Amino acid sequence: MRKPLQTSLLAALLLAGFHHPILAADAKPPAAAEAPGASDGFHLPAFPADAHVSQSVTVGGRTLKYTATVGSLPVRDEKGKVIAQVMFTAYTMPGKNRPVTFALNGGPGASSVYLNLGAIGPKKVNFGVEGDNPSDPAVLHDNPGTWLGFTDLVFIDPVGTGFSRALVDDKQATKDFYSTGTDIKYLSRIVYDWLVKNGRMESRKYLVGESYGGFRGPRITDYLQTQLGVAMNGVVLLSPYLDPAASDDENVSPLPWMLTLPSIAAAHLEREGKLSAQAMQSIIDYTRTTYATTLMQGRSNPAATDAMIKKVAALTGLDPLFVQRSGGRLETQAYLREVYRAEGKLGSRYDSNVTAWDPFPYAPHQRSGDPILNGIIAPTTTAMVNFVTQTVGWKYDGRYNALSYDVNRLWHEDEDANLGSVKQLRESVANDPGLRVLIAHGWDDLSCPFMASVLIVDQMPAMGDPTRVQVKEYPGGHMFYARPSSQSDLLRDVKALYGVQ
């Protein structure tokens, strides 16, 4: 498996050895409806013109009237040729000096639908918590956690996700879009182009990225700030993937195991009804002290190892023999099978308290996909396609990729990816004393564990005001905002970042 994707949104499928065939993105159109690139052998239906619809949402007793826009922006090469078209969904309200927030998910290969219809958009579809089923009605309802009350919202679908598409072949698309540097450059330019197109260069600007979008966040912020001349006022990183190298060298370094133990312990506390910030703080303190030093001592201190194994078994509720045979080092996929093995179920990498039946319980390794990933594609795809094509009226009949396995497969591994985005995070904050950053995690997330961000931020210099970069944790997993109470807490903390009541 490719290292940079180790904890990405599609990681569970890759870890499970799951392969998903992808059909052609678009059917052949009538000859008169050719898109840019048709002369190169592509026969794609042309994108429609931008479409708009007026809507309203009621939040906290307040009715917000807004315009929803679905449209696209071109991506050009150095010669000016259009090589891709990027779809966006924007929600705007009238009013002077409204901020604008750009939103990106991750993967690589994920569209922005999860942030849009799950976390911060004006409408929401249910997904991502225990009890949700793929076949449940994909009905949109008012989102009590929307950010629209204090900022306009622009959701960007990277090339190959949503309806966004490359107008070059896979080999060229990999070179132009599916690698670390090119991904950051063209997405930054999309932000710039949207601002110019809509006359919003003077607006206060914010960026939110989830998962691999959290990897993108600091890099896009830095590139916009230093190359394109666009400065963000704030950045929100949800369940970010900031430091891939932190999981390296698991045979010697204690760090990979330090990142996951607190999230496994949090899931156990939640199952017992004992999860709290106070309880988690004691686990964090143990992890960064006694647990770390015991792992580093290895076989030189058997007594300390025995005590550590007993402690880990107590913190996680796992069979002490399983913990002993693991050496107190709990590998994520092994844990997700072990914790629910007696019930014949699997836990999700994205929230280990969300489960599904294990269709291959006697196999030596997990053979099916992740419970959350398997359950979210249908409701998000149905809800988004209906919203775009029916509600807004952006009439396009191509395939919508909520998660593109093709993009993930084509993604080019490079050394730059393994360097993470901590450098760009530090430099962006250093360059602009006005920039504020909120990093938000769910305690139960084993895909992008919160402990990594805690350690990263604790190692950053204060740079005048240490509160400019904060880490907040909430009950839940990778998509902790699927839980109403955690979404409400996130909204409170985001409002503080934006400086609104």
Side-chain angles (χ1 to χ4, degrees):
M1 187 190 67
R2 295 169 293 170
K3 204 69 169 180
L5 304 184
Q6 200 169 31
T7 54
S8 67
L9 186 58
L10 299 180
L13 295 176
L14 298 175
L15 284 165
F18 184 77
H19 301 283
H20 195 291
I22 298 296
L23 301 177
D26 300 292
K28 290 185 177 181
E34 291 185 340
S39 61
D40 296 334
F42 283 83
H43 299 282
L44 304 175
F47 269 178
D50 294 1
H52 316 270
V53 68
S54 296
Q55 291 191 299
S56 65
V57 60
T58 301
V59 182
R62 177 187 173 197
T63 298
L64 307 176
K65 296 181 179 180
Y66 61 92
T67 298
T69 300
V70 176
S72 64
L73 288 165
V75 180
R76 300 180 185 274
D77 64 14
E78 65 278 1
K79 296 180 180 179
K81 177 184 174 182
V82 177
I83 56 174
Q85 293 170 301
V86 170
M87 172 192 156
F88 65 85
T89 306
Y91 304 99
T92 56
M93 289 177 59
K96 188 177 181 181
N97 300 323
R98 293 255 312 165
V100 58
T101 298
F102 296 91
L104 287 153
N105 274 91
S111 74
S112 61
V113 67
Y114 309 103
L115 285 174
N116 186 352
L117 301 186
I120 69 174
K123 302 292 182 179
K124 184 172 185 173
V125 65
N126 294 334
F127 66 86
V129 298
E130 185 75 0
D132 286 342
N133 299 308
S135 58
D136 291 341
V139 178
L140 290 178
H141 53 86
D142 289 355
N143 182 8
T146 184
W147 299 4
L148 187 59
F150 52 89
T151 178
D152 291 340
L153 299 165
V154 182
F155 297 89
I156 299 171
D157 289 341
V159 173
T161 76
F163 287 123
S164 298
R165 63 194 189 182
L167 299 174
V168 293
D169 61 31
D170 283 354
K171 182 178 180 180
Q172 189 63 39
T174 299
K175 179 180 178 181
D176 291 339
F177 309 112
Y178 304 148
S179 64
T180 306
T182 55
D183 176 74
I184 299 304
K185 289 178 181 178
Y186 91 82
L187 288 173
S188 298
R189 183 58 191 266
I190 290 296
V191 171
Y192 177 93
D193 287 349
W194 189 94
L195 290 167
V196 172
K197 177 180 179 179
N198 292 277
R200 300 294 296 272
M201 288 291 280
E202 294 184 356
S203 298
R204 284 182 294 145
K205 307 165 194 72
Y206 294 82
L207 185 69
V208 54
E210 181 183 7
S211 193
Y212 190 82
F215 173 96
R216 286 167 164 149
R219 286 177 175 247
I220 289 175
T221 300
D222 179 66
Y223 191 83
L224 284 167
Q225 189 184 73
T226 63
Q227 302 296 317
L228 297 183
V230 174
M232 294 290 120
N233 295 86
V235 178
V236 181
L237 305 177
L238 304 182
S239 308
Y241 178 56
L242 290 171
D243 187 8
S247 297
D248 288 349
D249 202 13
E250 60 189 25
N251 292 319
V252 176
S253 172
L255 188 55
W257 313 112
M258 291 171 63
L259 300 185
T260 55
L261 176 62
S263 292
I264 293 172
H268 176 61
L269 285 173
E270 187 172 68
R271 290 191 294 273
E272 293 194 322
K274 299 177 181 178
L275 181 62
S276 68
Q278 183 178 6
M280 286 306 301
Q281 189 57 55
S282 67
I283 292 169
I284 291 169
D285 292 342
Y286 170 75
T287 300
R288 71 199 316 173
T289 54
T290 305
Y291 182 67
T293 57
T294 302
L295 288 179
M296 285 189 288
Q297 290 178 75
R299 68 181 187 182
S300 70
N301 192 338
T305 297
D306 289 345
M308 177 268 288
I309 287 172
K310 291 178 181 178
K311 178 73 171 179
V312 169
L315 289 176
T316 61
L318 292 168
D319 184 339
L321 183 59
F322 175 81
V323 176
Q324 180 184 29
R325 288 175 173 172
S326 303
R329 300 159 173 83
L330 303 178
E331 196 278 325
T332 296
Q333 295 304 125
Y335 158 72
L336 293 172
R337 298 192 82 197
E338 182 65 24
V339 66
Y340 295 109
R341 187 180 295 275
E343 301 173 43
K345 291 184 175 183
L346 297 165
S348 170
R349 187 180 187 89
Y350 302 97
D351 183 339
S352 58
N353 284 336
V354 175
T355 64
W357 297 108
D358 185 352
F360 305 100
Y362 307 119
H365 302 287
Q366 180 179 333
R367 289 178 57 189
S368 61
D370 183 85
I372 284 183
L373 285 192
N374 282 353
I376 64 177
I377 296 176
T380 55
T381 299
T382 298
M384 192 64 186
V385 170
N386 282 342
F387 174 73
V388 169
T389 63
Q390 304 301 315
T391 303
V392 181
W394 198 74
K395 297 294 186 180
Y396 182 66
D397 60 1
R399 172 179 174 172
Y400 182 86
N401 283 299
L403 289 176
S404 173
Y405 299 90
D406 265 356
V407 169
N408 191 261
R409 173 180 57 81
L410 291 169
W411 200 265
H412 175 62
E413 176 182 346
D414 55 30
E415 291 302 317
D416 190 26
N418 216 38
L419 296 177
S421 297
V422 178
K423 174 179 181 291
Q424 290 81 4
L425 175 63
R426 289 189 176 203
E427 291 180 347
S428 296
V429 173
N431 288 340
D432 187 348
L435 178 65
R436 305 191 73 84
V437 180
L438 172 63
I439 302 174
H441 283 272
W443 276 315
D444 293 0
D445 184 13
L446 285 167
S447 172
C448 298
F450 77 91
M451 193 66 184
S453 292
V454 169
L455 296 174
I456 287 166
V457 172
D458 280 350
Q459 295 300 318
M460 287 180 64
M463 291 185 273
D465 178 4
T467 68
R468 286 203 294 135
V469 183
Q470 296 189 31
V471 180
K472 299 284 187 179
E473 303 108 40
Y474 314 88
H478 197 70
M479 299 173 181
F480 60 87
Y481 49 75
R483 304 191 186 192
S485 61
S486 295
Q487 186 185 39
S488 177
D489 290 343
L490 172 67
L491 182 63
R492 175 201 63 214
D493 293 333
V494 169
K495 283 184 175 180
L497 179 82
Y498 280 70
V500 298
Q501 297 298 320

